């Protein structure tokens, strides 16, 4: 079975507007996947979607979502309606540096929600979908730095 057959035809990429997520989106489009791109910066995901449509055969949808708070899963499910989702790249995330006690707690909660709560919610929602179709995958990015003791990284959870 080819990679596209096993994990395609549709993939979701969170944090697709920049960095690693953008690179994942480009690679998957090259491999023939159709894509749902998710991030906060609408202009960046729309621009990427347009470039991918021009430069590949991919069907691409972009959806502006804030994954650090509640209420993102319903619009995400709606965006997937009628699309045979086989691969989820749960990549949106960020790290905090600094003294733990001087870092605003709101920033820590936002990071925790994005890096931890959102991937759990996404996996919990989509694993039944993948099980039903009998193939597919979920890839969650994270950082080893958030899992061990590092100077200035006590507030980093991934
Ligand atoms: N780069 C590294 O060296 C490295 C190392 C270890 C781990 N990682 C992990 O790999 C992942 C990607 O890293 P990166 O370096 O590519 O990061 P990045 O360049 O900062 O990109 C992060 C992506 O997440 C999106 N994002 C951030 N906050 C969001 C929110 N609240 N809701 C929705 N989307 C949000 C951003 O888009 P918007 O701003 O448009 O929302 C952007 O597309 C992260 O989980 C990071 O922890 C990276």
């Amino acid at each position: 079975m080819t990679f596209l057959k096993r994990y395609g035809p549709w993939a979701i990429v969170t944090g697709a507007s920049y960095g690693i997520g953008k690179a994942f989106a480009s690679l998957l489009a090259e491999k023939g996947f159709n894509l749902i791109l998710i991030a906060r910066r609408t202009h960046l995901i729309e621009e990427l979607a347009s470039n991918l449509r021009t430069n590949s055969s991919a069907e691409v949808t972009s959806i502006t979502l804030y994954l650090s708070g509640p209420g993102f899963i319903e619009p995400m499910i709606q965006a997937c309606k009628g699309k045979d989702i086989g691969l989820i790249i749960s990549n949106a995330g960020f790290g905090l540096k600094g003294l733990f006690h001087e870092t605003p707690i709101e920033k820590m909660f936002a990071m925790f929600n994005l890096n931890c709560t959102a991937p759990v919610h996404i996996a919990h929602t989509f694993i039944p979908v993948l099980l039903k179709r009998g193939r597919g995958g979920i890839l969650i990015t994270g950082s080893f730095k958030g899992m061990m003791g590092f100077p200035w990284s006590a507030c980093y959870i991934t």
Side-chain angles (χ1 to χ4, degrees):
M1 198 181 273
T2 64
F3 186 81
L4 178 61
K5 270 232 153 87
R6 180 178 289 273
Y7 298 105
W10 279 87
I12 302 170
V13 182
T14 74
S17 64
Y18 207 77
I20 295 170
K22 185 175 178 182
F24 264 121
S26 302
L27 280 172
L28 289 170
E30 228 171 75
K31 284 187 176 292
F33 281 74
N34 297 322
L35 294 166
I36 299 177
L37 309 178
I38 297 176
R40 294 167 302 178
R41 284 173 289 177
T42 309
H43 67 288
L44 291 183
I45 42 175
E46 281 183 353
E47 188 184 304
L48 177 62
S50 166
N51 285 342
L52 296 178
R53 280 187 215 108
T54 307
N55 297 313
S56 73
S57 58
E59 261 186 71
V60 188
T61 302
S62 61
I63 167 163
T64 308
L65 285 177
Y66 177 69
L67 302 175
S68 284
F72 69 82
I73 207 76
E74 234 0 90
M76 197 167 162
I77 292 168
Q78 287 307 318
C80 295
K81 279 262 155 68
K83 299 177 172 66
D84 187 12
I85 307 290
L87 182 63
I88 298 108
I89 310 286
S90 178
N91 158 81
F94 73 92
L96 285 173
K97 266 186 189 296
L99 286 176
F100 184 83
H101 62 285
E102 286 181 0
T103 304
I105 194 68
E106 295 75 22
K107 273 195 179 173
M108 289 199 209
F109 286 147
M111 184 193 61
F112 186 82
N113 286 339
L114 182 65
N115 294 4
C116 304
T117 309
V120 168
H121 204 165
I122 290 168
H124 192 261
T125 302
F126 285 95
I127 283 174
V129 175
L130 301 181
L131 285 174
K132 199 166 165 197
R133 72 203 291 276
R135 64 199 160 80
I138 299 185
L139 186 151
I140 301 173
T141 57
S143 174
F144 72 94
K145 209 172 172 187
M147 299 175 200
M148 53 202 289
F150 260 94
W152 309 104
S153 293
C155 33
Y156 188 14
I157 305 164
T158 192

